[in-house]
Amino acid sequence: MTFAIAPIHTTLTRWHLLSKLEGIDLSDRYLSYLDLRGGDFRGNNLQDADLFGANLKGANLSGANLTGAMLEFAVLNEADLIGADIQSGQLASAILISVNLSGARLNGATLSNAKLNAANLTAADLTDANLRNANLSHANLSHANLSNVDFTSANFTDADLRLAILSNANLNDVNLSGARLEGVNLENIQYNANTDWPEGFDPPPSRDSYDFNLQ
């Protein structure tokens, strides 16, 4: 009778694994599908790390360098990413429910189809990011920089967007019902007839309207 040898990360206990990874340089490391729940990666270098499908629920990644990291399909529910640098990060279809991303830098990141329900994105910078089909219901995006973001078909139901900057954002087919928009910057935004605004809110003309009027 022969026995297959399991990959090393399946033979280690989670806590043993975490003890081997916490506090070291993890840039460019292959960490796909690992169980890293509750890990302490504060300030760690995870630049370009492959965390595809990894479970980071409740992990502390505050101030971590995650630029260019692969986090597609990763689970980051309730994780602490305060002030983390995730520029150009790949987070398509990631699960980030109740994550804390306040002050995080997500410039140019891909978060299409990501679940960001009840996420804290206060004062985060998402300039040029892709959030097509993202779920941001009940999320806090107050004071966030959302310039040039593609939000096509995103869900902002009951989200807090007070004093956020959405200049040049694409809001086609977006659901903003119940969202708080006091003081929001909507300069040169794009939206269409399927964009669902909060009841009683009067949005500025879509930039498509400006282009039409100039012809």
Side-chain angles (χ1 to χ4, degrees):
M1 182 181 296
T2 59
F3 298 92
I5 299 175
I8 187 169
H9 64 256
T10 65
T11 65
L12 297 171
T13 67
R14 177 162 58 95
W15 295 113
H16 186 195
L17 176 61
L18 291 174
S19 71
K20 298 291 186 181
L21 297 177
E22 292 174 345
I24 67 172
D25 187 347
L26 296 170
S27 57
D28 295 302
R29 295 290 188 93
Y30 178 77
L31 305 167
S32 184
Y33 295 109
L34 291 185
D35 185 351
L36 303 172
R37 287 173 293 162
D40 186 353
F41 302 103
R42 286 174 291 179
N44 270 39
N45 184 7
L46 288 141
Q47 183 175 359
D48 296 319
D50 187 347
L51 289 151
F52 184 98
N55 190 343
L56 288 149
K57 181 179 179 180
N60 190 338
L61 291 146
S62 57
N65 179 2
L66 287 151
T67 55
M70 167 57 71
L71 287 154
E72 291 185 1
F73 293 96
V75 177
L76 290 140
N77 295 347
E78 301 170 5
D80 182 349
L81 286 144
I82 295 173
D85 189 347
I86 320 175
Q87 296 182 75
S88 302
Q90 302 299 311
L91 295 100
S93 300
I95 304 173
L96 301 117
I97 297 170
S98 298
V99 71
N100 192 341
L101 283 157
S102 59
R105 287 168 288 175
L106 290 140
N107 315 62
T110 299
L111 293 122
S112 53
N113 298 297
K115 292 179 173 60
L116 287 147
N117 314 59
N120 183 354
L121 288 147
T122 306
D125 190 348
L126 289 93
T127 306
D128 298 315
N130 177 357
L131 281 95
R132 295 175 67 96
N133 297 299
N135 192 337
L136 292 140
S137 61
H138 300 279
N140 186 348
L141 297 110
S142 58
H143 298 273
N145 189 345
L146 309 171
S147 303
N148 301 306
V149 176
D150 185 357
F151 285 116
T152 303
S153 300
N155 180 10
F156 283 97
T157 303
D158 297 319
D160 186 349
L161 287 153
R162 289 176 294 176
L163 298 172
I165 302 171
L166 282 95
S167 55
N168 298 300
N170 185 341
L171 300 174
N172 285 336
D173 304 317
V174 167
N175 184 357
L176 286 151
S177 59
R180 299 196 61 177
L181 299 175
E182 297 96 311
V184 68
N185 182 341
L186 296 171
E187 182 180 357
N188 204 35
I189 57 168
Q190 181 179 353
Y191 61 91
N192 58 17
N194 294 322
T195 303
D196 191 1
W197 297 96
E199 185 176 356
F201 184 79
D202 186 19
S206 172
R207 63 171 174 257
D208 290 341
S209 300
Y210 288 121
D211 293 340
F212 179 79
N213 291 333
L214 290 172
Q215 293 177 359

